[in-house]
Amino acid sequence: MVKTDFGPPKYDTMLHPIIKRNYGKWKYHEVIRPGVIKRVAESGDVIYVVRFGTPRLLSIYTIRELCDIADKYSDGYLRWTSRNNVEFFLTDEKKIDALIKEVKKRVGFPCGGTWDAVTGKYGLSNIVHTQGWVHCHTPAIDASGIVKSIMDELYEYFVDHKLPAMCRISLACCANMCGAVHASDIAIVGIHRTPPLPDDDMVRRTCEIPSTVAACPTGALKPDMKAKTIKVDVEKCMYCGNCYTMCPGMPLFDPENDGAAILVGGKISDARRPPELSKVVVPWVPNEPPRWPTLVKYIKQILEAWASNARKHERLIEWIDRIGWERFFEITGLEFTEHLIDDYRITPYFYGELRTSVQFRW
Amino acid sequence: MSETPLVDELEKGPWPSFVKEIKKTAENMEKRAAQGMDIKLPKTARALLKQLEISYKDKKTHWKHGGIVSVVGYGGGVIGRYSDLGDKIPEIEHFHTMRINMPTGWFYTTKALRGLCDVWEKWGSGLTNMHGSTGDIIFLGTRSEYLQPCFEDLGNLEIPFDLGGSGSAIRTPSACMGPALCEFACYDTLDLCYELTMTFQNELHRPMYPYKFKFKCSGCPNDCVAAKARADFAIIGNWKDEIKVDQEAVKEYAKWMDIENEVVKLCPTKAISWNGRELKIDAKNCVHCMHCINKMPKALKPGDERGATILIGGKAPFVEGAVIGWVMIPFIEIKKPYEEIKEIATRTLEWWDEEGKFRERLAELIWRKGVREYLKVIGKDVDVRIVKAPRNNPFMFFKKEELRPSPYIEELKKRGMF
């Protein structure tokens, strides 16, 4: 009999003994150097959490090497963060250097990805991203290749604390956004720019016409009942690709016109300023594999314009709030085009009066 | 000359390379298979690289649309994936993904990880994502006929692993590291997340809803798992009483920190004052944003009256637009066995299941039906903390019992309009 519905291993069987012993009883933390967080418990116990960036796509042979390293340095325990970094737990401060050296040598992962709010010196964390051409059927851009190209260029910010505030960069390879990048300081989103070209035969064979028509947010699809297919009103289509997600007969890929949009100014933490959705500042950048030089240039331009002008603890949107969008476009050198004016009929601002922050008074 | 000159470019540079990971997998799998190890798909990693090279040349994906595959008894947990280059590169014709439910908080023993690697070396491509966007361990690429034996081997490991959620189901819940490592955690994120995962195993493994549904647990308003923007049901640790201040520790920070400019002036409600000896926080005005606590973790702590705020409806743009979750329950106690929160989640799911249209996320349903109706469903009263401001239009619904009796009402009744 095959077991089902038994769920994940229980978390408390996966915890380092020091973590288990001090569960819920941590007193404070200190970032003692980029990539290394010292956590001190009420009991006086200390654990050093050492963080490394990974490419997210990992070989089982690399995971085994990480296990060897964890057995040697952190008593057989390790953890991944929500942004694809891997962490080891050390009880002996003296072993940190050897660990960093060994990780670098064996798997090539850099130590970093931390920030120190206390001193107001921040590092760049890893870019969270989606599958792209490695595994997805709806992407407008690749994911891993772009992330690798950007992180090569921003490497110094990962391994050091050189930024004025937290900066979250995320990438989703289409508007379906399994990576949910819509509230990031800098977001890269794959977009299509051409309406779907219905494959009538495929629509007939594989699609449910009413639910596909209903999936269009702008009402651009009409059933053609006589021909048993779908017609596209090209004036209304905004190329979101939701119809293709619903129906394989509605492909909208055009290698010369697919590409990426860049959004900025989103945040999720409530620190200082409530959460905020990111806003489009570059409407489209073409796909330029293998290294996407134009896209990388824009990202670096935005990051460095912010980093050299923002005050301590001022995230991208806080900086923009202070200087104004006029100044943002001037300083970053980006062009404000007509595409950046919202003309999507339905926006969540219908419900703009609802609170989207956990900031309130009691 | 390399077969994959374009993707080879991505082996260069200081950041760890996913291309190196794929090549390393290919070399090891081929070598070990040649040595006689029981490896079913030694050529898949190499084939992926070949397909990727073609995508890099063509500037488009070569994965076909969907296909329903799963394991016996489940409706999800596996993403069917087929290549449109199957005739050219047969090793990659099937490249299904398995989502494996990670241990809550992504904590592992090396023993658990080695077990996973052994199973995936035998039945899959040897490639993984640690982790997918929702949080699962992703096993990238296997054939239909190996899904079931792979699943069974995972379940028979000494530390067994189960599949996560996919499709129109509850997706694998995730949580920040919470009380395991962080002094800011206002509730036990790991335990609640684990309990929700176990309570909704059926709904996680058997897609039955209008669309996806995500639970995420963050221990404080910093929200390290980005629950507010990504979860239909976000549980964010919060507190009601005043921030605890250790004045001696504040003085230690004052020796080198510019408290006036970096703490006092950055407080969003100007609730903090500092006179060089004492830090005062006006509790009535504090909005628990975490900035001062982040700045002085040795001196400041969240208060004692701890619980969580529940935000409902966070989602990405599909279908109608992106939403940051709406505060529907400003404060709730989070205590084992979590009956209240499970009840609210169950009522929410039942309502959405009943009323939601195909591909309508919870936010879109609430949008269509109104917040008032949702609050009735979960049995919660209105609270001014649900809104940023009251409505700015006078178009309000009134219930019959709110109206005064009148001849007009009588006329409405006569015409069957009341």
Side-chain angles (χ1 to χ4, degrees):
Chain A
M1 188 63 196
V2 181
K3 284 192 293 183
T4 58
D5 300 298
F6 53 93
K10 196 163 181 215
Y11 62 91
D12 59 2
T13 62
M14 297 286 144
L15 302 177
H16 188 284
I18 297 278
I19 294 176
K20 209 168 171 178
R21 188 154 70 223
N22 297 287
Y23 194 89
K25 294 184 182 119
W26 294 97
K27 200 169 166 197
Y28 67 89
H29 70 276
E30 264 178 324
V31 183
I32 57 173
R33 59 197 258 199
V36 184
I37 307 168
K38 176 184 180 183
R39 295 197 173 266
V40 180
E42 286 163 11
S43 66
D45 284 349
V46 173
I47 202 150
Y48 298 90
V49 182
V50 189
R51 181 176 295 176
F52 298 88
T54 85
R56 187 176 93 133
L57 194 159
L58 293 184
S59 167
I60 52 167
Y61 301 102
T62 297
I63 297 174
R64 282 182 183 154
E65 283 179 285
L66 294 172
C67 288
D68 293 343
I69 296 167
D71 284 339
K72 185 168 166 192
Y73 289 91
S74 64
D75 309 300
Y77 296 87
L78 64 167
R79 171 182 185 260
W80 267 266
T81 71
S82 58
R83 299 187 79 84
N84 313 324
N85 301 307
V86 65
E87 292 179 339
F88 297 88
F89 309 112
L90 271 61
T91 46
D92 184 356
E93 190 175 0
K94 289 193 222 72
K95 290 189 179 156
I96 294 173
D97 283 319
L99 168 73
I100 293 172
K101 234 176 161 176
E102 185 152 352
V103 171
K104 184 84 200 162
K105 192 170 142 244
R106 289 192 66 178
V107 295
F109 297 169
C111 181
T114 52
W115 61 91
D116 184 17
V118 179
T119 56
K121 290 176 182 160
Y122 294 76
L124 183 69
S125 191
N126 206 340
I127 299 180
V128 292
H129 62 96
T130 55
Q131 300 288 15
W133 297 336
V134 168
H135 194 258
C136 182
H137 66 299
T138 65
I141 55 176
D142 186 33
S144 309
I146 297 176
V147 168
K148 161 75 174 146
S149 303
I150 295 172
M151 286 307 284
D152 275 339
E153 202 59 35
L154 302 181
Y155 185 79
E156 58 181 305
Y157 298 105
F158 182 88
V159 296
D160 207 346
H161 289 168
K162 291 172 35 168
L163 296 173
M166 177 97 78
C167 184
R168 299 298 203 199
I169 308 181
S170 315
L171 180 147
C173 49
C174 83
N176 195 12
M177 267 194 209
C178 63
V181 303
H182 54 286
S184 309
D185 295 277
I186 302 177
I188 300 139
V189 182
I191 56 163
H192 302 284
R193 298 198 302 161
T194 49
L197 263 176
D199 175 339
D200 295 340
D201 183 51
M202 183 77 109
V203 172
R204 267 173 232 134
R205 279 190 297 114
T206 60
C207 305
E208 205 188 84
I209 293 175
S211 55
T212 306
V213 168
C216 177
T218 63
L221 302 182
K222 292 234 154 35
D224 178 347
M225 280 328 205
K226 222 183 251 168
K228 291 211 176 75
T229 183
I230 293 169
K231 278 205 168 113
V232 184
D233 180 344
V234 294
E235 299 297 318
K236 285 189 182 165
C237 176
M238 299 183 99
Y239 338 112
C240 74
N242 198 29
C243 58
Y244 180 66
T245 305
M246 296 298 303
C247 164
M250 302 294 283
L252 71 166
F253 301 94
D254 177 352
E256 292 312 311
N257 282 298
D258 290 348
I262 301 173
L263 292 78
V264 307
K267 85 191 269 283
I268 285 166
S269 150
D270 261 282
R272 302 174 302 284
R273 196 186 190 291
E276 169 101 18
L277 294 171
S278 314
K279 291 117 183 48
V280 181
V281 294
V282 178
W284 180 75
V285 188
N287 266 318
E288 297 171 321
R291 284 216 164 248
W292 282 266
T294 312
L295 182 58
V296 172
K297 186 185 74 142
Y298 278 131
I299 301 297
K300 197 171 182 188
Q301 216 169 310
I302 295 167
L303 183 99
E304 294 189 336
W306 161 74
S308 52
N309 287 283
R311 294 176 181 160
K312 236 185 201 188
H313 304 299
E314 212 169 45
R315 281 179 81 156
L316 239 152
I317 189 63
E318 296 169 293
W319 172 59
I320 296 168
D321 271 354
R322 177 165 61 81
I323 62 165
W325 283 101
E326 309 78 308
R327 214 59 84 221
F328 168 82
F329 283 96
E330 193 180 298
I331 295 174
T332 54
L334 302 177
E335 188 191 353
F336 184 84
T337 73
E338 62 178 6
H339 305 98
L340 308 186
I341 304 170
D342 196 355
D343 51 7
Y344 179 61
R345 291 183 312 110
I346 317 160
T347 80
Y349 300 107
F350 258 82
Y351 259 20
E353 306 298 341
L354 286 176
R355 192 157 350 195
T356 52
S357 153
V358 302
Q359 290 189 15
F360 27 71
R361 295 167 175 86
W362 291 99
Chain B
M1 168 81 185
S2 163
E3 273 187 291
T4 55
L6 289 173
V7 294
D8 288 355
E9 283 299 311
L10 293 164
E11 287 186 90
K12 300 170 187 165
W15 187 253
S17 165
F18 72 101
V19 173
K20 280 188 189 163
E21 290 294 316
I22 300 173
K23 287 193 176 175
K24 179 177 181 178
T25 311
E27 281 155 21
N28 276 287
M29 296 282 272
E30 287 157 1
K31 194 176 85 195
R32 293 161 80 96
Q35 287 164 354
M37 263 189 74
D38 187 9
I39 290 175
K40 308 290 181 198
L41 297 168
K43 292 179 178 164
T44 299
R46 181 86 59 201
L48 174 67
L49 214 56
K50 282 187 206 160
Q51 169 158 329
L52 199 57
E53 179 71 15
I54 296 170
S55 276
Y56 269 54
K57 211 167 83 221
D58 297 348
K59 297 195 277 190
K60 64 180 265 216
T61 187
H62 281 286
W63 299 111
K64 287 200 281 191
H65 205 289
I68 293 173
V69 281
S70 191
V71 297
V72 176
Y74 285 6
V78 182
I79 318 296
R81 192 63 77 225
Y82 299 90
S83 171
D84 67 9
L85 300 171
D87 49 344
K88 264 197 232 161
I89 317 173
E91 298 89 351
I92 201 123
E93 185 191 8
H94 295 200
F95 196 71
H96 310 321
T97 283
M98 298 179 83
R99 290 188 182 161
I100 319 295
N101 197 332
M102 72 295 187
T104 314
W106 302 286
F107 287 92
Y108 293 93
T109 58
T110 52
K111 191 173 173 185
L113 281 170
R114 287 182 205 277
L116 288 165
C117 292
D118 293 348
V119 173
W120 196 231
E121 185 174 42
K122 179 171 179 185
W123 297 109
S125 71
L127 299 167
T128 75
N129 287 145
M130 298 295 278
H131 296 81
S133 297
T134 300
D136 298 278
I137 302 154
I138 305 293
F139 278 2
L140 275 175
T142 189
R143 293 186 59 84
S144 302
E145 60 271 28
Y146 299 143
L147 293 168
Q148 187 65 28
C150 181
F151 170 64
E152 289 174 22
D153 274 7
L154 284 168
N156 289 326
L157 282 169
E158 197 180 326
I159 300 170
F161 279 86
D162 199 349
L163 298 189
S166 72
S168 294
I170 291 184
R171 299 298 183 85
T172 305
S174 73
C176 71
M177 63 189 178
L181 274 172
C182 182
E183 68 271 22
F184 298 157
C186 291
Y187 74 93
D188 191 339
T189 51
L190 301 180
D191 198 56
L192 176 63
C193 181
Y194 180 76
E195 284 295 323
L196 289 171
T197 307
M198 297 313 288
T199 303
F200 294 109
Q201 281 291 296
N202 181 35
E203 292 79 358
L204 204 144
H205 289 133
R206 293 164 197 91
M208 55 178 79
Y209 291 120
Y211 202 4
K212 59 180 114 174
F213 190 95
K214 300 187 179 185
F215 286 106
K216 291 188 190 296
C217 306
S218 275
C220 82
N222 284 337
D223 192 5
C224 287
V225 286
K228 291 169 208 167
R230 303 194 297 162
D232 301 87
F233 201 105
I235 305 151
I236 311 293
N238 211 336
W239 71 99
K240 273 175 117 170
D241 57 342
E242 56 214 72
I243 290 174
K244 293 190 277 191
V245 186
D246 175 346
Q247 296 292 352
E248 288 311 307
V250 174
K251 280 181 202 151
E252 281 300 311
Y253 281 121
K255 285 179 183 165
W256 59 270
M257 186 188 285
D258 180 354
I259 292 183
E260 187 59 32
N261 280 310
E262 289 187 43
V263 182
V264 175
K265 283 194 182 154
L266 294 182
C267 171
T269 55
K270 305 287 173 274
I272 307 177
S273 61
W274 163 247
N275 61 10
R277 292 180 309 281
E278 195 187 2
L279 189 86
K280 277 194 189 151
I281 302 177
D282 172 9
K284 278 271 168 217
N285 222 358
C286 168
V287 289
H288 319 96
C289 86
M290 292 297 292
H291 175 74
C292 62
I293 298 177
N294 290 337
K295 277 296 293 180
M296 301 196 281
K298 285 181 187 169
L300 306 181
K301 295 265 181 298
D304 289 321
E305 205 182 337
R306 296 179 179 194
T309 298
I310 299 191
L311 291 92
I312 294 290
K315 63 185 276 294
F318 268 12
V319 175
E320 293 191 335
V323 172
I324 294 177
W326 302 316
V327 173
M328 290 288 129
I329 305 177
F331 192 81
I332 184 169
E333 273 198 15
I334 307 286
K335 289 262 155 66
K336 236 178 153 68
Y338 314 117
E339 270 161 17
E340 189 181 3
I341 205 145
K342 283 183 193 167
E343 173 69 23
I344 292 165
T346 304
R347 285 193 198 185
T348 301
L349 286 163
E350 279 171 2
W351 179 66
W352 175 57
D353 188 22
E354 191 70 27
E355 302 281 344
K357 292 183 195 166
F358 185 54
R359 267 174 99 70
E360 192 171 51
R361 290 279 287 267
L362 181 59
E364 283 148 346
L365 175 63
I366 293 175
W367 193 339
R368 181 160 65 80
K369 290 278 190 179
V371 166
R372 289 207 280 187
E373 184 165 338
Y374 177 65
L375 289 175
K376 218 185 291 167
V377 166
I378 59 170
K380 286 286 171 187
D381 293 330
V382 296
D383 187 311
V384 63
R385 293 171 188 87
I386 287 173
V387 296
K388 285 177 190 152
R391 71 197 302 157
N392 56 19
N393 61 68
F395 308 131
M396 295 167 278
F397 287 111
F398 286 96
K399 289 186 217 111
K400 287 176 189 168
E401 55 272 25
E402 289 177 292
L403 300 178
R404 295 178 180 186
S406 73
Y408 193 98
I409 300 284
E410 290 311 310
E411 183 62 24
L412 283 174
K413 278 185 186 160
K414 217 186 285 171
R415 297 201 206 173
M417 292 166 72
F418 192 79

